[in-house]
Amino acid sequence: RKEVEQDPGPFNVPEGATVAFNCTYSNSASQSFFWYRQDCRKEPKLLMSVYSSGNEDGRFTAQLNRASQYISLLIRDSKLSDSATYLCVVNRGADNYGQNFVFGPGTRLSVLP
Amino acid sequence: EAQVTQNPRYLITVTGKKLTVTCSQNMNHEYMSWYRQDPGLGLRQIYYSMNVEVTDKGDVPEGYKVSRKEKRNFPLILESPSPNQTSLYFCASSSGLAAYNEQFFGPGTRLTVL
């Protein structure tokens, strides 16, 4: 089993739609989780960290379910500019020190006019 | 402007010809790392450095070397490149070692080894 797995995609959705991505991780000791966004042929950029209680940043909501070892990202009111690949990232460390990240393969989103 | 730069951005080379990909950051970051990205596999860490003269292997270090003689620079060296090192390479830096310190990535280097 891969350490981090994501919905394979691609997701093709109309503007204004709500879309959700899931990510599962295998290391139950992991404590830190993130979503990165990567535009085609560009570098990844941090979208948001994922906190235990769940967190929201504008149209984006991240949730963590430790018992089931999955992370989700919800995008509401999709914009054309949301089209990108979304990377789920898990830190292997059993605490919040040290940057030993595992990246998922990514889920591609295309928002259509 | 705060940034991570990489050079070259594109490189086509032949098997066995030594090459170096440079990485430089102007944010005074302690932590730097190298990743490779291949279709379907995601980014995989090659090497990382927690500070000057401190480097360690990541998940896929075979065939690569790094050095960290100055805080701002972290070059990736391929002593004898092979076709299976054809990939998209990213350098990244971070201000600290806490897991929640954001990683800033360079623009990437697309390497083809014939």
Side-chain angles (χ1 to χ4, degrees):
Chain A
R1 181 184 171 189
K2 289 183 179 176
E3 286 187 82
V4 177
E5 297 189 82
Q6 295 186 239
D7 290 334
F11 285 58
N12 299 313
V13 302
E15 269 187 290
T18 295
V19 60
F21 305 137
N22 290 320
C23 166
T24 58
Y25 61 96
S26 61
N27 184 357
S28 60
S30 294
Q31 295 292 320
S32 309
F33 311 91
F34 311 87
W35 284 101
Y36 275 72
R37 170 197 169 122
Q38 185 175 27
D39 293 306
C40 188
R41 299 181 185 275
K42 297 281 186 75
E43 71 272 24
K45 293 184 179 178
L46 180 66
L47 179 65
M48 57 197 305
S49 303
V50 185
Y51 301 113
S52 297
S53 55
N55 47 299
E56 189 173 306
D57 183 2
R59 298 181 292 108
F60 299 84
T61 300
Q63 295 280 351
L64 168 64
N65 184 319
R66 287 189 189 275
S68 301
Q69 293 180 213
Y70 83 77
I71 307 142
S72 64
L73 176 68
L74 182 77
I75 306 175
R76 290 181 299 279
D77 189 23
S78 300
K79 311 290 185 194
L80 295 177
S81 57
D82 293 333
S83 297
T85 296
Y86 291 83
L87 308 176
C88 175
V89 183
V90 176
N91 195 23
R92 286 194 181 105
D95 54 30
N96 285 323
Y97 183 82
Q99 299 197 339
N100 187 2
F101 296 115
V102 182
F103 283 73
T107 300
R108 190 155 56 90
L109 170 67
S110 292
V111 180
L112 308 172
Chain B
E1 180 189 355
Q3 59 182 351
V4 179
T5 57
Q6 295 179 228
N7 281 292
R9 294 288 314 281
Y10 303 91
L11 179 61
I12 301 174
T13 189
V14 295
T15 299
K17 186 176 181 183
K18 181 179 178 180
L19 66 92
T20 298
V21 184
T22 64
C23 172
S24 183
Q25 49 92 6
N26 63 0
M27 297 170 279
N28 201 36
H29 284 173
E30 291 181 346
Y31 185 91
M32 297 185 75
S33 59
W34 275 103
Y35 294 88
R36 61 178 288 174
Q37 185 174 30
D38 302 291
L41 295 178
L43 276 81
R44 293 179 292 167
Q45 192 176 56
I46 302 170
Y47 268 94
Y48 64 95
S49 169
M50 292 196 285
N51 214 325
V52 175
E53 303 291 2
V54 181
T55 63
D56 210 344
K57 296 177 181 178
D59 294 318
V60 287
E62 295 78 20
Y64 305 95
K65 286 174 56 177
V66 293
S67 68
R68 187 94 182 270
K69 293 183 169 53
E70 307 164 279
K71 200 170 189 178
R72 63 183 292 128
N73 296 324
F74 190 45
L76 178 70
I77 303 153
L78 284 73
E79 295 269 3
S80 183
S82 61
N84 64 11
Q85 293 178 298
T86 293
S87 188
L88 177 58
Y89 291 87
F90 288 104
C91 179
S93 74
S94 175
S95 61
L97 298 179
Y100 279 104
N101 285 124
E102 180 179 352
Q103 286 195 96
F104 294 87
F105 285 84
T109 295
R110 190 167 290 277
L111 172 66
T112 301
V113 183
L114 302 175

